Amino acid sequence: MNPTRRTSGARLRRLLPVVTSTLVASLVLVGCNGGGSSDDKAADGKITLTETTPAAVGDVDSVTWALPYGEPRSLDPAKTGDYSANSIVTNLCESLLLLQPDFSTAPGLATAVTQKDPTTVVISLRDGVTFWDGSEMTAEDVVYSLKRNMDPKLASYAAHVFFNVASIDKTGPLEVTVRFRVPDVQFVNSMAGVPGMIVDQAFATKAGPKFGTPSTGVQCTGPFTVGSWKSGQNITLKRNPTYWDAARKAKAATFEFVFLSDDSTLTSALLSGEVDGIYGVPLGGLAALRRSDVGTVYFGESTETYSLGPASDSGPAADPRIRQALDLAIDKNSFASSVLKGTGRPLKTFTPPLVWSGSPAKEVYDAGYDALLDTSKADLEAAKKLVAEAAPSRKSLTLAVPAGNQSLLQTATLAQAAAEKLGLTLTIKQLQPTQFGTLFYDPAARAQFDLVATTGYIEVPGALYYAPGFVLEGGLFNWTNYSDPSVTKNILTATSATDPTASANAFVAAQKVYAPAKLQITLAESYNRLFLNKRLTGAPASFSYISSPWAAQVGKAKS
Amino acid sequence: MRALLIFVGRKLAGVLATVAVASLVIYGALYAAPGDAAVLLVGGHQPDPAALAQIRAEYHLDDPFLAQYWHWVTGVLSGNPGESIVVGEPVTDLIGARLLNTVLLVGYASVLILGFGVTGGIVAALGRRTVDVAITGTTTVLIAAPAFVAAIVLIWVFATKLAWFPVYGSGTGFVDRIYHLTLPAFALSLSYLAYVTRITRAEVRTALAADHVEAAAARGLRRRSVLRRHVLRNAAPPVLAVSGITVAGLFAGTAVAEQAFGVPGLGSLLVQSAARQDLVVVQVISLLLVAGFVVVNMLVDVVNALLDPRLLRAGEAS
């Protein structure tokens, strides 16, 4: 794949899930870095992006996989919304649509999810799919699973996907219809992620609040079943022998996940072969792993981004000129090479190109992105001019950073240095997870801050993932009360257009207007970083692993 | 005998008082920590107020401090400290699954500290100058090496390069567990071990220089007998006291070693739970670690008193 090709961008939109993860544990924030090289051995060699690793040639007995963000808290899809949980649960429970390495979608548990009109989506279910216990997946299970996300008591991490839903009903033996209060074409895309996962109603109802816990587990249709969950130690998956799709049956008989959050231990475990693979290779161990002949480091397109966002509708950062000035003062290329160690690249806006790269309207999106102003190189003169023009009444800003996140702290330090050059004083404040999470829903908590540094990712396709939340009045992330009639009109057109090209055109027209306002100062995309022991292959190298049954593809490499 | 019972009784009362105060401090500290724990529990990006209220009620987050504290203490005392806010499993289950690993790790490290530390100190004090210099030099390096640095070096040399030991994990069954815990135990004990070596060496030196030792030597007693009956016996109580505090402190040190070697123990559970603001779990583990420290300390005092009955009387008098 051409390294200069940009990932389609659904980045900003993904901030929503990011927030979710932030609330959960700040795990997402704590450490997503994209990786950047393919299988070349030279650590200083150019990074080549790969979509997926070569297909496996046969089965293996067992695979040991490390989760650098630690043990998941639950296997319940409703509680799945960060790296660790997604890495496992996507292999257990399946979604209605299947996410492909290029972020396009294919039929999954549904043969089709069709946007019939702006407020109606029809889901046609696959016949003959069974849960692990042999019971058949029915339309009732689908209605139950989707509706679960709307239960405030359950507080599903996917609840935001269902905000606009009016009703979910069985309309045929294998058909479910979703109706919306407000048009939302992003919904179909979301069915390729955790929000579209189907669980067994009988099992989940019986398990109640214990659904997804180490002692109870889950009941789904995926290529792996839950073998065991030894709290603190490991989670072992077992191949589902009766999986419905013979072509995508799991290659490994058992797949063991271990929780290793110490970077140096992790690197040693990979180098010694005790652990076979990992997504999110620690940047500290990257050079050693790339030099090693134990396995291969792959780099892929990602939707993971680093950004600084304005936190309130007053103060210096609420002025777009100050944000533009900061954006111009930070050199994104040196950000990518210093903070991301070369495993990422500058982005022009909050929606990363990977999210639309599987769309039929990809060309429209790409052209829209290309037309955006490139501010990756620092331009201090222009930046100073903007500050002078804005003449802020206050020159001191406070930036909130989640505590313990080294890469975000480095990001904040870079921003601090850039601000100083503009005559602004930037104070960095590290917040504990609960405090940081509060920022995302409590305006009072945000009031004491001007900017927030976050990382985020988008786990499903669709350019409309972030934008509405940032640009519409009352949007979840519209913390500056941004409002522009033409943007509002175009975004509403985009979210209700059933024709992909019409939707893309409206989105691009809106983006052209809101992108320069820097509702997020987007610094870079960080590549997906995958390490595989040389005995294995098959895992996707792009960030699509976050929502697809990737572990089932991991098998024997050609020796 | 009566003196011993009184001594033990007083120490036990001290332990209880310390743990009681610690429980209040631990609970208070976490109560005062910023942020709203309920937010983490509900997830989602826009928590539902009703769901938040439900969680607050379930975990008594809105009660007055003392009521919350009392609720917690009675729960802990009745053996039911509640469920993890984050994982939803009983805290007793989470701790039970990890307790053995931590106890084994602390035990293993203690054996290393006492065995190598005391022996090393005696050898350094009594041996030739070259031996003394070698041991003193080594301990200087080791004292300065914190557990996480030791862990990195040990993993690099003995797990990655030589492949004698596994990089991470805790193994299954006793022998495999001990095998897996070898590197963590060394990482955990090295700096303490060096410290105990130094203390032992100094105490033995002091005892050697004492008048009665010189007198005993002058009277023509055999060197071995002098060493055993006068030197080591006199050096023992201070060495024991220092070792006791060191070993007791291991409980607190396990977090680093467990985290570095991926050993599922109380220390790594504490770190994980703290990161997730799983207050219920953090409170119980903190209390357990404090209790472990105080109890081991008490045992050391008792052993010391048995070795030197004068301590019993001193305790009575004070």
Side-chain angles (χ1 to χ4, degrees):
Chain A
M1 191 175 267
N2 179 353
T4 61
R5 213 202 94 224
R6 68 187 42 96
T7 45
S8 335
R11 206 172 252 192
L12 275 182
R13 235 223 183 234
R14 203 30 166 116
L15 222 113
L16 279 169
V18 170
V19 171
T20 303
S21 315
T22 305
L23 285 175
V24 173
S26 175
L27 283 177
V28 169
L29 299 167
V30 168
C32 31
N33 302 304
S37 85
S38 74
D39 53 346
D40 55 348
K41 290 291 174 202
D44 53 346
K46 276 261 168 14
I47 282 175
T48 321
L49 298 188
T50 320
E51 205 163 74
T52 185
T53 59
V57 297
D59 289 0
V60 288
D61 285 341
S62 67
V63 173
T64 306
W65 200 269
L67 296 178
Y69 298 102
E71 188 170 7
R73 49 196 66 209
S74 171
L75 295 180
D76 179 353
K79 301 285 175 195
T80 297
D82 59 42
Y83 293 94
S84 292
N86 273 59
S87 296
I88 297 178
V89 177
T90 49
N91 295 294
L92 298 171
C93 302
E94 295 181 284
S95 302
L96 292 170
L97 295 175
L98 180 65
L99 184 67
Q100 306 284 344
D102 67 352
F103 256 60
S104 63
T105 62
L109 290 181
T111 52
V113 179
T114 316
Q115 185 87 43
K116 225 175 92 190
D117 60 57
T119 56
T120 314
V121 164
V122 175
I123 300 165
S124 311
L125 295 171
R126 191 177 294 280
D127 197 3
V129 175
T130 54
F131 292 106
W132 303 325
D133 64 4
S135 63
E136 195 142 334
M137 178 191 78
T138 63
E140 282 85 357
D141 290 311
V142 175
V143 171
Y144 170 79
S145 300
L146 296 181
K147 271 194 170 165
R148 250 185 122 227
N149 293 299
M150 301 169 73
D151 177 3
K153 278 208 183 128
L154 187 69
S156 165
Y157 292 178
H160 62 97
V161 170
F162 296 82
F163 274 168
N164 300 326
V165 170
S167 65
I168 302 174
D169 300 295
K170 175 182 172 182
T171 45
L174 287 172
E175 189 188 272
V176 170
T177 301
V178 184
R179 292 200 166 76
F180 297 82
R181 286 183 280 107
V182 179
D184 184 357
V185 296
Q186 179 63 29
F187 182 84
V188 174
N189 288 316
S190 293
M191 293 302 103
V194 173
M197 276 183 182
I198 306 306
V199 302
D200 181 14
Q201 177 174 10
F203 185 95
T205 318
K206 189 164 165 255
K210 290 281 167 197
F211 190 66
T213 59
S215 45
T216 307
V218 293
Q219 182 66 232
C220 291
T221 63
F224 284 102
T225 66
V226 184
S228 66
W229 182 349
K230 289 186 208 132
S231 175
Q233 204 165 343
N234 59 26
I235 296 178
T236 304
L237 311 188
K238 291 215 170 323
R239 176 163 49 209
N240 171 8
T242 58
Y243 185 59
W244 58 272
D245 186 350
R248 293 192 301 111
K249 203 167 166 170
K251 301 270 194 296
T254 64
F255 213 101
E256 182 193 11
F257 289 93
V258 295
F259 326 122
L260 288 177
S261 46
D262 183 276
D263 284 359
S264 76
T265 309
L266 194 45
T267 308
S268 298
L270 290 167
L271 286 172
S272 70
E274 277 182 61
V275 168
D276 294 311
I278 182 181
Y279 277 112
V281 176
L283 287 173
L286 196 57
L289 286 167
R290 289 185 75 188
R291 271 196 310 271
S292 159
D293 53 9
V294 177
T296 308
V297 180
Y298 297 92
F299 295 90
E301 303 270 1
S302 172
T303 63
E304 297 174 279
T305 57
Y306 280 74
S307 60
L308 305 173
S312 96
D313 58 357
S314 64
D319 187 329
R321 289 169 299 189
I322 296 294
R323 299 196 298 267
Q324 286 161 343
L326 277 172
D327 179 57
L328 282 169
I330 301 171
D331 189 308
K332 274 73 151 198
N333 290 306
S334 57
F335 170 85
S337 59
S338 62
V339 177
L340 302 180
K341 304 235 162 51
T343 66
R345 64 175 157 233
L347 264 192
K348 292 175 174 180
T349 178
F350 55 69
T351 302
L354 180 59
V355 296
W356 62 61
S357 76
S359 161
K362 176 180 185 304
E363 279 166 26
V364 178
Y365 287 114
D366 279 345
Y369 183 90
D370 288 340
L372 296 176
L373 186 65
D374 181 0
T375 58
S376 59
K377 268 171 75 179
D379 183 347
L380 273 182
E381 287 318 303
K384 280 179 186 162
K385 226 189 260 174
L386 280 162
V387 174
E389 214 181 290
S393 57
R394 165 160 70 83
K395 299 220 166 188
S396 59
L397 289 88
T398 310
L399 168 65
V401 178
N405 183 334
Q406 278 314 308
S407 59
L408 274 180
L409 193 58
Q410 289 170 24
T411 307
T413 313
L414 272 179
Q416 194 176 40
E420 202 180 322
K421 288 181 197 154
L422 303 177
L424 303 170
T425 320
L426 195 68
T427 310
I428 300 168
K429 207 160 169 221
Q430 298 198 51
L431 302 185
Q432 290 304 317
T434 37
Q435 241 185 326
F436 195 81
T438 312
L439 294 180
F440 289 84
Y441 76 95
D442 183 1
R446 288 198 296 269
Q448 18 175 345
F449 301 100
D450 296 293
L451 293 162
V452 178
T454 62
T455 55
Y457 65 78
I458 299 182
E459 76 278 319
V460 292
L464 290 165
Y465 192 97
Y466 275 149
F470 280 102
V471 305
L472 296 184
E473 268 178 86
L476 263 181
F477 302 108
N478 191 354
W479 299 346
T480 58
N481 285 332
Y482 176 84
S483 172
D484 182 293
S486 75
V487 169
T488 305
K489 184 174 151 277
N490 278 317
I491 288 294
L492 292 181
T493 307
T495 52
S496 52
T498 47
D499 171 47
T501 309
S503 178
N505 277 322
F507 170 81
V508 164
Q511 183 180 250
K512 192 179 161 193
V513 179
Y514 72 68
K518 296 290 163 193
L519 298 168
Q520 289 283 290
I521 300 169
T522 307
L523 300 175
E525 165 200 340
S526 102
Y527 302 142
N528 189 43
R529 301 186 303 273
L530 161 71
F531 177 86
L532 273 178
N533 189 287
K534 64 183 172 193
R535 74 184 183 95
L536 299 174
T537 186
S542 87
F543 193 63
S544 64
Y545 86 89
I546 202 73
S547 290
S548 62
W550 60 274
Q553 308 300 115
V554 176
K556 196 172 168 227
K558 201 155 57 183
S559 50
Chain B
M1 190 61 207
R2 191 172 153 269
L4 181 66
L5 281 178
I6 291 174
F7 180 82
V8 172
R10 282 167 36 105
K11 289 285 168 192
L12 260 180
V15 165
L16 291 177
T18 311
V19 172
V21 171
S23 74
L24 192 61
V25 170
I26 289 168
Y27 199 87
L30 289 166
Y31 178 84
D36 181 356
V39 178
L40 288 179
L41 313 185
V42 295
H45 54 274
Q46 207 175 42
D48 179 77
L52 275 177
Q54 190 196 344
I55 283 169
R56 289 212 181 93
E58 195 176 324
Y59 290 92
H60 307 276
L61 295 175
D62 281 338
D63 290 2
F65 173 70
L66 283 178
Q68 284 192 43
Y69 173 71
W70 180 246
H71 179 84
W72 177 66
V73 165
T74 48
V76 169
L77 289 178
S78 67
N80 176 25
E83 287 189 351
S84 151
I85 296 183
V86 174
V87 188
E89 298 265 291
V91 176
T92 42
D93 286 9
L94 291 175
I95 289 177
R98 293 161 166 89
L99 188 61
L100 182 60
N101 284 328
T102 298
V103 168
L104 278 179
L105 178 59
V106 168
Y108 197 160
S110 306
V111 169
L112 295 178
I113 291 171
L114 294 178
F116 288 107
V118 173
T119 316
I122 295 174
V123 170
L126 301 180
R128 280 186 213 163
R129 197 177 140 67
T130 45
V131 176
D132 184 24
V133 168
I135 292 180
T136 312
T138 312
T139 53
T140 306
V141 175
L142 293 182
I143 278 182
F148 74 91
V149 174
I152 291 172
V153 174
L154 289 173
I155 289 177
W156 181 248
V157 176
F158 294 102
T160 313
K161 284 288 154 195
L162 297 173
W164 290 355
F165 293 98
V167 175
Y168 74 96
S170 63
T172 47
F174 184 75
V175 175
D176 193 34
R177 269 210 167 90
I178 292 299
Y179 175 57
H180 274 81
L181 289 176
T182 298
L183 291 186
F186 270 96
L188 180 58
S189 60
L190 283 180
S191 68
Y192 295 114
L193 185 160
Y195 178 61
V196 168
T197 306
R198 284 295 188 85
I199 297 289
T200 308
R201 176 180 171 276
E203 291 299 334
V204 172
R205 283 266 164 115
T206 311
L208 272 176
D211 290 345
H212 68 274
V213 172
E214 285 184 6
R219 276 198 290 143
L221 285 178
R222 296 224 320 268
R223 180 173 157 83
R224 174 177 299 230
S225 162
V226 172
L227 284 181
R228 193 167 53 81
R229 290 183 35 200
H230 297 286
V231 177
L232 295 186
R233 186 145 188 190
N234 281 320
V239 168
L240 202 60
V242 166
S243 307
I245 292 174
T246 309
V247 166
L250 285 179
F251 281 102
T254 52
V256 175
E258 287 175 9
Q259 194 73 358
F261 290 92
V263 174
L266 293 187
S268 53
L269 179 62
L270 178 66
V271 171
Q272 182 189 45
S273 305
R276 292 169 165 185
Q277 307 241 331
D278 197 344
L279 297 186
V280 182
V281 180
V282 173
Q283 284 158 345
V284 176
I285 298 178
S286 307
L287 193 59
L288 263 184
L289 295 181
V290 170
F293 178 86
V294 187
V295 166
V296 172
N297 246 334
M298 184 194 92
L299 291 177
V300 171
D301 284 348
V302 171
V303 172
N304 244 340
L306 287 176
L307 284 179
D308 187 353
R310 280 173 303 174
L311 291 172
L312 295 181
R313 288 190 292 277
E316 243 172 1
S318 65

